[in-house]
Amino acid sequence: LVMQRWVGVGALFLIFLLRILYIQAYYIVCYVLCIFVLNQLIYFLQPKDYASLTDSTNSEEPALPTKLDEFRPFVRRLPEFKFWYSLTKAVLLAILATFNPVFNVPVYWPVLVVYFFLLFFVTMRRQFMDMKRFKYVPWDIGKKKRYKSSVSVTKT
């Protein structure tokens, strides 16, 4: 079900991009949508208690658990479903905006593309530096670890 949701929003985004390329207009709508997606992605990658992490870096107490036996799950600032829902609404609104000539503002689109990529790389660099500094990883990849039980079960 999760994969179908993301495939659906990806298809909507592709329809939007094809419409922009076909009519060769509404570049500002595309830029605003991409900035919104970047903002939502940053919220999705941040931990829920991000403000307390950044405030506690100047104090003596550690912000994240330092003991191996202490476990705190990663809780996102923006949950996956809300992230998907906000992106779906944004893409649908952007598609609707391409049917209204009020939003067809003439701009030189290469400047918007360069500026967006500059913003993207700067914010993602800062985000990855924060991940490294606070030692959190917002995704699960690789092989799952199994913990051994301290009680052994024997069959008789």
Side-chain angles (χ1 to χ4, degrees):
L1 186 62
V2 174
M3 182 61 82
Q4 288 97 358
R5 278 198 315 241
W6 286 105
V7 167
V9 80
L12 280 175
F13 195 75
L14 184 64
I15 290 169
F16 170 73
L17 289 178
L18 289 175
R19 174 154 173 78
I20 293 293
L21 291 174
Y22 178 72
I23 59 179
Q24 296 288 311
Y26 297 97
Y27 298 118
I28 198 76
V29 173
C30 187
Y31 176 73
V32 169
L33 176 65
C34 289
I35 292 295
F36 178 76
V37 169
L38 178 63
N39 186 23
Q40 294 297 302
L41 179 65
I42 290 170
Y43 285 151
F44 180 70
L45 293 177
Q46 285 180 348
K48 189 173 186 176
D49 56 350
Y50 183 73
S52 67
L53 290 176
T54 56
D55 291 342
S56 67
T57 55
N58 298 331
S59 67
E60 295 297 321
E61 62 187 49
L64 289 177
T66 55
K67 298 178 184 175
L68 292 177
D69 59 343
E70 186 178 359
F71 173 73
R72 271 200 228 164
F74 181 79
V75 179
R76 296 181 187 282
R77 187 170 179 183
L78 181 66
E80 184 265 336
F81 182 79
K82 288 183 180 180
F83 180 47
W84 167 81
Y85 187 64
S86 64
L87 290 186
T88 304
K89 287 191 304 187
V91 172
L92 287 174
L93 284 174
I95 290 172
L96 289 176
T98 61
F99 289 101
N100 191 342
V102 171
F103 298 111
N104 190 11
V105 178
V107 293
Y108 187 60
W109 65 267
V111 173
L112 293 179
V113 170
V114 168
Y115 188 61
F116 172 75
F117 281 116
L118 179 71
L119 278 175
F120 179 81
F121 289 121
V122 167
T123 53
M124 284 298 117
R125 180 175 163 249
R126 189 196 64 184
Q127 188 66 37
F128 287 129
M129 289 177 72
D130 283 350
M131 286 180 201
K132 189 176 179 181
R133 184 173 77 185
F134 298 125
K135 296 178 178 73
Y136 69 88
V137 180
W139 49 76
D140 296 334
I141 56 174
K143 187 177 179 181
K144 304 287 183 201
K145 293 183 180 180
R146 301 267 183 192
Y147 296 103
K148 293 183 180 180
S149 163
S150 61
V151 178
S152 61
V153 178
T154 58
K155 293 183 178 180
T156 55

